[in-house]
């Protein structure tokens, strides 16, 4: 059957059933179970090929298409055929026995991960396709974790098993080692004793029954395990050769139970699209009750014109959509992706992928910006991952997206849909900001005959938390209607940070108090006060610049490890070597800033001669690895941004007066609500010292660092508030800031901000490694190890006098029974003796991983393994011999500068070694 020239999805192998399908579909007399099943995989795993095989095996198509032949049933767009990848999620209908499956084929490319995530909102289960050639990759693991986050049953299909070298047992070991959960090969059923044992391990009750030797575990019990996520059935085959496909379908039929639905009408929108006639389509999963053609959806106040069931390009019009069906509505103009309509669907699911790139959009055809913006908004409606914005200050349209491939797709769609030729300029990373401390933000808006005051508490949250709004305001202090208005204003827009003007995130904003005037307060007054209060708090807090990071897996030939590790260190990556993938390939895993890693594939191909491969997966926003450089490059001045001002407006002598943000607290009409403990937090940590050794745990190292770094800055730190207020008093109002003139206040304020970003430096020395690497000390150690250790400490004391970094020498004490970590001061350096069963290597590695983000750490060692580990943590490494050369050079230079001549026993390191050894 065809509609508009498109082949529909009725079973072509049994034409006698076609009419009964058509006649009985609306009555629901044919299918006992409706399921929505997604197919997910990393690129080139054979996902679309498996979809074709499932359609063919079930009799829904006469011939299985191929991606390389450009005739795949589900790759319907020209872009997909040209590129050979899935760009848009598609659906196809499979009738298998008494079951109707709506198969959803999702994109595998990371640029379109958001498209995949939207499809997960309506799935009952998923097939995760894994190539037997690649095994479980980083992208595979990310998809599996995403499915588990959504609570979806997962079936695993190992594809391309026809290729020589594919090993079932090796693949099962690989997936069990890399992914959480239970995996069992159910391709031969569940009656095998080994499979029965594996199933029993998934549930305590089943295990007890199994040990007692009672009846076998049934298919229904296995289905219950799959439903609650305790079991992931695995199947093996070749989608291209139709091997293992029928076993997979039988497994889905047997072990994937139908979801229970409410009788109350409801649906979940997962996609907005348009057809060839530009008709707006709302793709939705019916999650309760039913909807009929011409019925009105109360939530939208709009009528359903048509109900379509799509399969590939074709579709069938039906009169009624019932629970479990995946349909497309026409006639709904107000629907949006992720809408949950009605009360029968109580699950809340959100996408987590975020755009990482920002571009300026320009029209090659000279189209009016307003028209161009409206056209881009239509694409954004269909793909919410496209963040389209109009930047009023720059008078330009900006687009935020995931990657270069998505950029090209947008260009193509604009040309096809609207005949619009667009280009992109000024590509840059999409930064975000957060705060590092808890502050109170206050905003007051009181021009003549207006009044509103708002007090907010701003607190930092964990990575990925977004913006959380809370309310602790007393109703006796501020009426509930005003409170609700303030909360609305907090959620109606995004707020900018003070470092680069980027969107603020990972922050909790709590409404603490506020004040209105019985006569003069209007709704717009609280909008102004709220915006100013947020900005006031952001200006007070210590800002943190965030950038997007990727999880990466780098597979390279062994002979290129050195080059790869150097590149990764230079790019600010955090990494570690993993097991060899083959005898000649090495795997490196870690985190890398998106700015550095997104274009590394081209460089990788060059120096590995196309043998290397890097796989990137979005890991979220984390602190920027080159914050100062980015801030300087962007050049954002928060005090000149009057659209996002933290200043307040007070009434004085009948006129509005602008009070700068740093003085506004003194003029507020309400008292501060935040109990500040700044003075207690600024006090240095007092650690008792003694002539002997002081035992100290590793967890207390932060206190030691804080004490040693800030000990000489305490006085200046206490007086910084006084100094700031004296400098800021020269600024009279916001107009002075707009002029952009240099002033002592502005210069010193920027200097103070810059000083706060300077990271203290630490040098960690592997004591015994250095002793046995330096020839002089090694010879001394042969006579007396204690003398060699004391000699090294004396040399380090001299060296420390010439350097600004704190210096810590670490010695092994791991063989001393009952010994705990000891920390003591030796003149101007620190000495650590490790606890029992802990080597100096492990102590240094632990220290590096814990503190590399906050301190500039250099590790001195010649141990190659330790060097790799601390490099992966983001620290610098210096070999022991190179360090000896540096120490000698530093002492010589200092000697020549201050004395003008050389005295071997004092100014020459060689002489100093001789002196120590002779004594």
């Amino acid at each position: 059957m065809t509609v508009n020239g498109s082949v529909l999805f009725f079973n072509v192998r049994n034409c006698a059933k076609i009419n009964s399908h058509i006649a009985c579909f609306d009555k629901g007399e044919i299918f006992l179970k409706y399921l929505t099943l997604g197919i997910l995989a990393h690129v080139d795993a054979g996902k679309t090929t498996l979809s074709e095989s499932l359609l063919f095996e079930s009799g829904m198509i006469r011939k299985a298409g191929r991606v390389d032949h450009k005739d795949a049933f589900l790759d319907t767009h020209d872009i997909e055929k040209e590129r050979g990848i899935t760009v848009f999620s598609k659906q196809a209908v499979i009738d298998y026995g008494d079951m109707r499956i709506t198969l959803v084929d999702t994109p595998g490319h990371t640029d379109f991960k958001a498209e995949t995530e939207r499809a997960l909102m309506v799935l009952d289960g998923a097939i995760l396709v894994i190539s037997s050639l690649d095994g479980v990759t980083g992208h595979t693991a990310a998809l599996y974790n995403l499915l588990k986050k959504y609570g979806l049953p997962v079936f695993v299909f190992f594809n391309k098993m026809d290729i020589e070298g594919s090993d079932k047992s090796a693949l099962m070991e690989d997936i069990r080692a890399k992914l959480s959960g239970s995996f069992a090969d159910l391709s031969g059923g569940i009656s095998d004793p080994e499979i029965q044992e594996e199933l029993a391990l998934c549930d305590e009750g089943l295990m007890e029954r199994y040990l007692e030797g009672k009846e076998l575990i049934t298919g229904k019990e296995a289905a219950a395990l799959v439903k609650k996520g305790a079991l992931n059935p695995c199947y093996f085959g070749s989608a291209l050769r139709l091997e293992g496909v029928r076993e997979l379908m039988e497994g889905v039929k047997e072990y994937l139970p139908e979801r229970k639905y409410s009788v109350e009408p409801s649906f979940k929108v997962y996609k907005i699209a348009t057809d060839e006639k530009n008709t707006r389509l709302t793709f939705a999963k019916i999650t309760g009750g039913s909807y009929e053609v011409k019925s009105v959806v109360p939530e939208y106040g709009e009528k359903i014109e048509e109900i379509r069931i799509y399969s590939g390009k074709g579709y069938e019009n039906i009169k009624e959509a019932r629970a479990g069906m995946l349909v497309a509505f026409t006639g709904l103009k107000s629907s949006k992706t992720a809408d949950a309509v009605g009360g029968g669907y109580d699950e809340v699911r959100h996408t987590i992928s975020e755009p990482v790139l920002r571009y300026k959009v320009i029209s090659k055809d000279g189209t009016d910006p307003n028209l161009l913006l409206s056209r881009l908004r239509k694409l954004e409606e269909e793909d919410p991952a496209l963040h389209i914005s109009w930047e009023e200050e720059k008078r330009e349209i900006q687009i935020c997206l995931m990657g270069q491939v998505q950029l090209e797709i947008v260009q193509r769609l604009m040309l096809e849909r609207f005949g619009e030729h667009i280009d992109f300029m000024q590509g840059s990373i999409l930064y975000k900001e957060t705060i590092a401390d808890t502050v109170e933000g206050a905003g007051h808006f009181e021009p003549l005959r207006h009044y509103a005051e708002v007090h907010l508490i701003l607190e930092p949250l964990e990575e990925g938390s977004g913006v959380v709004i809370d309310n602790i305001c007393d109703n006796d202090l501020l009426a509930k209607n005003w409170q609700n208005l303030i909360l609305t204003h907090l959620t109606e827009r995004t707020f900018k940070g003070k470092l680069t003007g980027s969107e603020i995130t990972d922050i909790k904003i709590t409404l603490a108090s506020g004040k209105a005037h019985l006569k003069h307060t209007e709704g717009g007054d609280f909008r102004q006060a709220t915006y100013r209060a947020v900005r006031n708090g952001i200006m007070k807090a210590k800002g943190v610049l965030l950038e997007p990071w990727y999880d990466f897996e780098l597979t390279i030939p062994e002979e290129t490890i050195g080059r790869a590790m150097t590149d990764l260190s230079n790019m600010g990556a955090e990494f570690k070597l993993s097991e060899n993938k083959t005898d000649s390939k090495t795997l490196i895993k870690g985190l890398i800033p998106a700015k550095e890693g997104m274009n590394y594939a081209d460089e990788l191909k060059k120096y590995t001669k196309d043998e290397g491969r890097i796989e990137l997966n979005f890991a979220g926003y984390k602190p920027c690895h080159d914050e100062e450089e980015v801030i300087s490059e962007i050049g954002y001045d928060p005090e000149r941004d009057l659209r996002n001002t933290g200043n307040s407006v007070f009434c004085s002598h009948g006129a509005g007066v602008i009070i700068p943000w740093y003085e506004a607290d003194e003029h507020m009409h309400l008292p501060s609500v935040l109990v500040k403990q700044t003075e207690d937090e600024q006090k240095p940590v007092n650690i008792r010292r003694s002539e002997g050794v002081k035992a100290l745990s590793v967890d207390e190292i932060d206190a030691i660092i804080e004490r040693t770094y800030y000990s000489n800055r305490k006085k200046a730190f206490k007086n910084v508030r006084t100094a700031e207020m004296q400098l800021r008093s020269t600024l009279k109002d916001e107009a002075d800031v707009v002029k952009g003139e240099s002033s002592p206040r502005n210069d010193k304020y920027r200097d103070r901000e810059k000083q706060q970003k300077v990271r203290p430096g630490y040098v960690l020395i592997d004591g015994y490694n250095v002793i046995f690497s330096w020839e002089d000390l090694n010879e001394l150690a042969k006579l007396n190890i204690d003398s060699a250790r004391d000699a090294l400490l004396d040399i380090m004391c001299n060296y420390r006098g010439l350097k600004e970094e704190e210096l810590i020498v670490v010695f092994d004490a791991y063989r001393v029974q009952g010994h705990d970590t000891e920390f003591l001061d030796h003149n101007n350096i620190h000495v650590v003796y490790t606890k029992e069963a802990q080597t100096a290597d492990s102590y240094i590695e632990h220290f590096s991983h814990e503190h590399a983000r906050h301190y500039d750490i250099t590790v001195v060692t010649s141990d190659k393994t330790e060097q790799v580990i601390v490099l992966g943590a983001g620290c610098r490494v210096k070999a022991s011999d190179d360090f000896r050369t540096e120490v000698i050079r530093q002492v010589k230079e200092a000697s020549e500068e201050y004395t003008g001549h050389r005295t071997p026993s004092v100014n020459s390191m060689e002489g100093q070694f001789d002196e120590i050894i002779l004594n």
Side-chain angles (χ1 to χ4, degrees), residues 594-613:
K595 179 173 67 174
E596 307 290 351
M598 62 196 318
N599 298 319
Y600 187 62
D602 294 336
E603 183 67 21
L604 180 65
K605 289 181 180 179
K606 292 178 183 177
Y607 73 78
T608 62
K609 300 179 180 178
D610 285 337
E611 293 186 32
R613 188 183 73 178

PDB file of all heavy atoms in Angstrom, residues 594-613:
ATOM      1  N   ALA A 594      37.667  20.542  25.490  1.00  0.00           N
ATOM      2  CA  ALA A 594      37.081  20.436  24.158  1.00  0.00           C
ATOM      3  C   ALA A 594      37.837  21.289  23.146  1.00  0.00           C
ATOM      4  O   ALA A 594      38.024  20.889  21.995  1.00  0.00           O
ATOM      5  CB  ALA A 594      35.603  20.842  24.206  1.00  0.00           C
ATOM      6  N   LYS A 595      38.274  22.455  23.574  1.00  0.00           N
ATOM      7  CA  LYS A 595      38.997  23.360  22.666  1.00  0.00           C
ATOM      8  C   LYS A 595      40.248  22.711  22.101  1.00  0.00           C
ATOM      9  O   LYS A 595      40.613  22.928  20.951  1.00  0.00           O
ATOM     10  CB  LYS A 595      39.358  24.648  23.416  1.00  0.00           C
ATOM     11  CG  LYS A 595      40.127  25.659  22.570  1.00  0.00           C
ATOM     12  CD  LYS A 595      40.314  26.971  23.319  1.00  0.00           C
ATOM     13  CE  LYS A 595      41.227  26.816  24.511  1.00  0.00           C
ATOM     14  NZ  LYS A 595      41.519  28.130  25.153  1.00  0.00           N
ATOM     15  N   GLU A 596      40.904  21.908  22.921  1.00  0.00           N
ATOM     16  CA  GLU A 596      42.158  21.284  22.513  1.00  0.00           C
ATOM     17  C   GLU A 596      41.930  19.973  21.775  1.00  0.00           C
ATOM     18  O   GLU A 596      42.674  19.636  20.857  1.00  0.00           O
ATOM     19  CB  GLU A 596      43.035  21.024  23.749  1.00  0.00           C
ATOM     20  CG  GLU A 596      43.277  22.231  24.625  1.00  0.00           C
ATOM     21  CD  GLU A 596      44.185  23.250  23.965  1.00  0.00           C
ATOM     22  OE1 GLU A 596      44.766  22.941  22.902  1.00  0.00           O
ATOM     23  OE2 GLU A 596      44.317  24.368  24.514  1.00  0.00           O
ATOM     24  N   GLY A 597      40.914  19.222  22.172  1.00  0.00           N
ATOM     25  CA  GLY A 597      40.767  17.879  21.646  1.00  0.00           C
ATOM     26  C   GLY A 597      39.920  17.742  20.406  1.00  0.00           C
ATOM     27  O   GLY A 597      40.050  16.765  19.660  1.00  0.00           O
ATOM     28  N   MET A 598      39.051  18.718  20.116  1.00  0.00           N
ATOM     29  CA  MET A 598      38.078  18.528  19.054  1.00  0.00           C
ATOM     30  C   MET A 598      38.708  18.455  17.660  1.00  0.00           C
ATOM     31  O   MET A 598      38.145  17.832  16.754  1.00  0.00           O
ATOM     32  CB  MET A 598      37.020  19.634  19.105  1.00  0.00           C
ATOM     33  CG  MET A 598      37.532  21.034  18.905  1.00  0.00           C
ATOM     34  SD  MET A 598      36.306  22.261  19.432  1.00  0.00           S
ATOM     35  CE  MET A 598      34.797  21.557  18.793  1.00  0.00           C
ATOM     36  N   ASN A 599      39.871  19.054  17.477  1.00  0.00           N
ATOM     37  CA  ASN A 599      40.522  19.025  16.157  1.00  0.00           C
ATOM     38  C   ASN A 599      41.804  18.196  16.152  1.00  0.00           C
ATOM     39  O   ASN A 599      42.599  18.289  15.217  1.00  0.00           O
ATOM     40  CB  ASN A 599      40.837  20.462  15.710  1.00  0.00           C
ATOM     41  CG  ASN A 599      39.587  21.307  15.541  1.00  0.00           C
ATOM     42  OD1 ASN A 599      38.580  20.835  15.016  1.00  0.00           O
ATOM     43  ND2 ASN A 599      39.634  22.549  15.994  1.00  0.00           N
ATOM     44  N   TYR A 600      41.978  17.386  17.210  1.00  0.00           N
ATOM     45  CA  TYR A 600      43.226  16.629  17.316  1.00  0.00           C
ATOM     46  C   TYR A 600      43.275  15.433  16.369  1.00  0.00           C
ATOM     47  O   TYR A 600      44.349  14.918  16.063  1.00  0.00           O
ATOM     48  CB  TYR A 600      43.412  16.155  18.755  1.00  0.00           C
ATOM     49  CG  TYR A 600      44.743  15.507  19.023  1.00  0.00           C
ATOM     50  CD1 TYR A 600      45.925  16.221  18.867  1.00  0.00           C
ATOM     51  CD2 TYR A 600      44.832  14.172  19.417  1.00  0.00           C
ATOM     52  CE1 TYR A 600      47.156  15.637  19.113  1.00  0.00           C
ATOM     53  CE2 TYR A 600      46.058  13.575  19.667  1.00  0.00           C
ATOM     54  CZ  TYR A 600      47.220  14.318  19.509  1.00  0.00           C
ATOM     55  OH  TYR A 600      48.435  13.734  19.742  1.00  0.00           O
ATOM     56  N   ALA A 601      42.129  14.991  15.872  1.00  0.00           N
ATOM     57  CA  ALA A 601      42.089  13.803  15.014  1.00  0.00           C
ATOM     58  C   ALA A 601      42.951  13.979  13.766  1.00  0.00           C
ATOM     59  O   ALA A 601      43.618  13.037  13.318  1.00  0.00           O
ATOM     60  CB  ALA A 601      40.652  13.492  14.625  1.00  0.00           C
ATOM     61  N   ASP A 602      42.940  15.176  13.192  1.00  0.00           N
ATOM     62  CA  ASP A 602      43.738  15.415  11.981  1.00  0.00           C
ATOM     63  C   ASP A 602      45.226  15.285  12.273  1.00  0.00           C
ATOM     64  O   ASP A 602      45.975  14.671  11.500  1.00  0.00           O
ATOM     65  CB  ASP A 602      43.433  16.810  11.418  1.00  0.00           C
ATOM     66  CG  ASP A 602      42.007  16.924  10.919  1.00  0.00           C
ATOM     67  OD1 ASP A 602      41.422  15.888  10.581  1.00  0.00           O
ATOM     68  OD2 ASP A 602      41.478  18.049  10.889  1.00  0.00           O
ATOM     69  N   GLU A 603      45.667  15.857  13.385  1.00  0.00           N
ATOM     70  CA  GLU A 603      47.079  15.760  13.753  1.00  0.00           C
ATOM     71  C   GLU A 603      47.446  14.309  14.071  1.00  0.00           C
ATOM     72  O   GLU A 603      48.547  13.844  13.737  1.00  0.00           O
ATOM     73  CB  GLU A 603      47.346  16.646  14.969  1.00  0.00           C
ATOM     74  CG  GLU A 603      48.791  16.707  15.416  1.00  0.00           C
ATOM     75  CD  GLU A 603      49.696  17.386  14.406  1.00  0.00           C
ATOM     76  OE1 GLU A 603      49.184  18.155  13.568  1.00  0.00           O
ATOM     77  OE2 GLU A 603      50.918  17.136  14.453  1.00  0.00           O
ATOM     78  N   LEU A 604      46.528  13.597  14.698  1.00  0.00           N
ATOM     79  CA  LEU A 604      46.768  12.204  15.054  1.00  0.00           C
ATOM     80  C   LEU A 604      47.005  11.349  13.814  1.00  0.00           C
ATOM     81  O   LEU A 604      47.899  10.491  13.783  1.00  0.00           O
ATOM     82  CB  LEU A 604      45.573  11.672  15.849  1.00  0.00           C
ATOM     83  CG  LEU A 604      45.627  10.217  16.307  1.00  0.00           C
ATOM     84  CD1 LEU A 604      46.750  10.021  17.312  1.00  0.00           C
ATOM     85  CD2 LEU A 604      44.287   9.805  16.916  1.00  0.00           C
ATOM     86  N   LYS A 605      46.205  11.578  12.792  1.00  0.00           N
ATOM     87  CA  LYS A 605      46.361  10.793  11.561  1.00  0.00           C
ATOM     88  C   LYS A 605      47.739  10.997  10.926  1.00  0.00           C
ATOM     89  O   LYS A 605      48.324  10.077  10.363  1.00  0.00           O
ATOM     90  CB  LYS A 605      45.272  11.183  10.563  1.00  0.00           C
ATOM     91  CG  LYS A 605      43.893  10.707  10.940  1.00  0.00           C
ATOM     92  CD  LYS A 605      42.861  11.117   9.900  1.00  0.00           C
ATOM     93  CE  LYS A 605      41.470  10.622  10.281  1.00  0.00           C
ATOM     94  NZ  LYS A 605      40.447  11.031   9.289  1.00  0.00           N
ATOM     95  N   LYS A 606      48.235  12.204  11.054  1.00  0.00           N
ATOM     96  CA  LYS A 606      49.520  12.515  10.416  1.00  0.00           C
ATOM     97  C   LYS A 606      50.667  11.742  11.062  1.00  0.00           C
ATOM     98  O   LYS A 606      51.434  11.075  10.393  1.00  0.00           O
ATOM     99  CB  LYS A 606      49.787  14.019  10.491  1.00  0.00           C
ATOM    100  CG  LYS A 606      48.851  14.860   9.648  1.00  0.00           C
ATOM    101  CD  LYS A 606      49.166  16.347   9.811  1.00  0.00           C
ATOM    102  CE  LYS A 606      48.185  17.201   9.023  1.00  0.00           C
ATOM    103  NZ  LYS A 606      48.446  18.650   9.227  1.00  0.00           N
ATOM    104  N   TYR A 607      50.776  11.831  12.398  1.00  0.00           N
ATOM    105  CA  TYR A 607      51.966  11.237  13.009  1.00  0.00           C
ATOM    106  C   TYR A 607      51.823   9.741  13.293  1.00  0.00           C
ATOM    107  O   TYR A 607      52.792   9.069  13.628  1.00  0.00           O
ATOM    108  CB  TYR A 607      52.385  11.995  14.269  1.00  0.00           C
ATOM    109  CG  TYR A 607      51.551  11.835  15.505  1.00  0.00           C
ATOM    110  CD1 TYR A 607      51.657  10.698  16.306  1.00  0.00           C
ATOM    111  CD2 TYR A 607      50.680  12.834  15.914  1.00  0.00           C
ATOM    112  CE1 TYR A 607      50.916  10.566  17.466  1.00  0.00           C
ATOM    113  CE2 TYR A 607      49.934  12.707  17.074  1.00  0.00           C
ATOM    114  CZ  TYR A 607      50.058  11.569  17.844  1.00  0.00           C
ATOM    115  OH  TYR A 607      49.329  11.440  18.987  1.00  0.00           O
ATOM    116  N   THR A 608      50.582   9.191  13.144  1.00  0.00           N
ATOM    117  CA  THR A 608      50.421   7.735  13.279  1.00  0.00           C
ATOM    118  C   THR A 608      50.208   7.055  11.937  1.00  0.00           C
ATOM    119  O   THR A 608      49.988   5.845  11.888  1.00  0.00           O
ATOM    120  CB  THR A 608      49.221   7.409  14.185  1.00  0.00           C
ATOM    121  OG1 THR A 608      48.020   7.912  13.589  1.00  0.00           O
ATOM    122  CG2 THR A 608      49.395   7.995  15.571  1.00  0.00           C
ATOM    123  N   LYS A 609      50.265   7.863  10.868  1.00  0.00           N
ATOM    124  CA  LYS A 609      50.059   7.333   9.515  1.00  0.00           C
ATOM    125  C   LYS A 609      48.720   6.593   9.398  1.00  0.00           C
ATOM    126  O   LYS A 609      48.633   5.472   8.903  1.00  0.00           O
ATOM    127  CB  LYS A 609      51.211   6.409   9.126  1.00  0.00           C
ATOM    128  CG  LYS A 609      52.569   7.104   9.123  1.00  0.00           C
ATOM    129  CD  LYS A 609      53.690   6.166   8.766  1.00  0.00           C
ATOM    130  CE  LYS A 609      55.030   6.908   8.787  1.00  0.00           C
ATOM    131  NZ  LYS A 609      56.180   6.005   8.493  1.00  0.00           N
ATOM    132  N   ASP A 610      47.676   7.267   9.886  1.00  0.00           N
ATOM    133  CA  ASP A 610      46.292   6.779   9.831  1.00  0.00           C
ATOM    134  C   ASP A 610      46.026   5.549  10.694  1.00  0.00           C
ATOM    135  O   ASP A 610      44.977   4.917  10.574  1.00  0.00           O
ATOM    136  CB  ASP A 610      45.870   6.471   8.386  1.00  0.00           C
ATOM    137  CG  ASP A 610      45.605   7.733   7.590  1.00  0.00           C
ATOM    138  OD1 ASP A 610      45.312   8.764   8.212  1.00  0.00           O
ATOM    139  OD2 ASP A 610      45.720   7.688   6.359  1.00  0.00           O
ATOM    140  N   GLU A 611      46.957   5.212  11.582  1.00  0.00           N
ATOM    141  CA  GLU A 611      46.745   4.056  12.455  1.00  0.00           C
ATOM    142  C   GLU A 611      46.142   4.443  13.801  1.00  0.00           C
ATOM    143  O   GLU A 611      45.642   3.593  14.533  1.00  0.00           O
ATOM    144  CB  GLU A 611      48.068   3.320  12.689  1.00  0.00           C
ATOM    145  CG  GLU A 611      48.639   2.656  11.442  1.00  0.00           C
ATOM    146  CD  GLU A 611      49.871   1.836  11.771  1.00  0.00           C
ATOM    147  OE1 GLU A 611      49.935   1.296  12.895  1.00  0.00           O
ATOM    148  OE2 GLU A 611      50.763   1.730  10.914  1.00  0.00           O
ATOM    149  N   GLY A 612      46.204   5.712  14.160  1.00  0.00           N
ATOM    150  CA  GLY A 612      45.670   6.161  15.436  1.00  0.00           C
ATOM    151  C   GLY A 612      44.214   6.560  15.342  1.00  0.00           C
ATOM    152  O   GLY A 612      43.715   6.905  14.263  1.00  0.00           O
ATOM    153  N   ARG A 613      43.523   6.513  16.475  1.00  0.00           N
ATOM    154  CA  ARG A 613      42.113   6.888  16.512  1.00  0.00           C
ATOM    155  C   ARG A 613      41.803   7.507  17.861  1.00  0.00           C
ATOM    156  O   ARG A 613      42.271   7.026  18.897  1.00  0.00           O
ATOM    157  CB  ARG A 613      41.222   5.667  16.292  1.00  0.00           C
ATOM    158  CG  ARG A 613      39.744   6.022  16.129  1.00  0.00           C
ATOM    159  CD  ARG A 613      38.905   4.775  15.996  1.00  0.00           C
ATOM    160  NE  ARG A 613      38.787   4.064  17.255  1.00  0.00           N
ATOM    161  CZ  ARG A 613      38.069   2.949  17.421  1.00  0.00           C
ATOM    162  NH1 ARG A 613      37.471   2.404  16.397  1.00  0.00           N
ATOM    163  NH2 ARG A 613      37.999   2.380  18.614  1.00  0.00           N
TER     164      ARG A 613
END
